[in-house]
Amino acid sequence: MPKRVDHEERRRLIAAAVRRIAADRGLEAVSLGEVATAAGISKGLVQHYFPTKDAMLRYATGTLRAHVEQRVTGGLRDTLVALLPLDEESRDQALVANAFLVRALKDEEIADRIRAGHTQLSQALAAMVAAAQEAGELAAGLDPVREADLLLAVVAGLGDAVLLGHRGPDDAIALVDHHLSRLTA
């Protein structure tokens, strides 16, 4: 009986290899051969699923959102803290996201995916802000959409500062808490 192959699982395996390489050495180091080695499969198999590097990178971009969704399952503060690169896994994810951000400047399909993910995250944060307002935890006069955009900007800036070693994890969390305290009722 022929072996059943889970094609989507193979694509995810390849995408995970792309992300590992991107986190370690940037997207410039991603090649069909490097990905094959990192995934433990043949170059021909990588090419079977992704005939070009662009196709492989575009697919890998689509897998980034699932990793963010796994980390942002709490309330507003927990979500903001989860978006910071505070451990090895979230640091790698931030490095990969930044690498794809640069790629998006030249690839409209990747840019569209990043914009869609950002919009989805912003909407989720706006809903959290609105819920915190209803619970009396945040000031009633805040515009949830505007605050969500500002909170994302704060976390993005702090994330970059942590990646560069300009801020430590505790300092970044303290700044998130300080900003949130300014929004309280």
Side-chain angles (χ1 to χ4, degrees):
M1 180 172 223
K3 181 180 174 185
R4 291 196 57 139
V5 175
D6 184 341
H7 297 290
E8 192 54 34
E9 180 58 33
R10 285 237 175 108
R11 286 183 187 91
R12 286 191 298 268
L13 173 76
I14 293 167
V18 169
R19 291 191 308 271
R20 284 193 306 275
I21 294 167
D24 289 341
R25 296 178 279 149
L27 289 181
E28 302 79 22
V30 173
S31 69
L32 295 175
E34 287 290 325
V35 170
T37 299
I41 58 178
S42 72
K43 186 176 176 180
L45 194 54
V46 173
Q47 287 179 308
H48 170 74
Y49 288 101
F50 302 104
T52 66
K53 179 179 177 177
D54 284 341
M56 187 170 48
L57 292 177
R58 288 174 182 147
Y59 179 84
T61 303
T63 67
L64 296 176
R65 187 178 304 166
H67 293 282
V68 172
E69 289 171 355
Q70 288 174 350
R71 292 190 359 238
V72 294
T73 57
L76 179 60
R77 181 197 182 270
D78 290 342
T79 295
L80 295 172
V81 171
L83 292 171
L84 294 170
L86 303 179
D87 58 28
E88 188 175 337
E89 181 182 0
S90 60
R91 178 180 171 78
D92 285 351
Q93 290 173 5
L95 291 170
V96 172
N98 283 344
F100 276 106
L101 180 64
V102 171
R103 182 72 178 209
L105 298 174
K106 301 288 184 187
D107 187 317
E108 193 59 32
E109 187 175 330
I110 290 175
D112 285 343
R113 288 182 178 177
I114 291 174
R115 282 190 291 266
H118 188 274
T119 297
Q120 184 180 16
L121 185 55
S122 181
Q123 290 170 344
L125 286 175
M128 290 178 198
V129 169
Q133 285 177 300
E134 286 181 26
E137 298 165 4
L138 294 182
L142 300 174
D143 176 351
V145 172
R146 193 174 207 79
E147 292 304 327
D149 288 340
L150 288 170
L151 289 167
L152 275 177
V154 167
V155 170
L158 287 172
D160 289 345
V162 171
L163 286 175
L164 292 169
H166 179 67
R167 300 267 182 214
D170 292 339
D171 189 26
I173 293 169
L175 286 168
V176 167
D177 288 338
H178 174 72
H179 185 74
L180 287 173
S181 73
R182 298 169 69 197
L183 305 178
T184 58

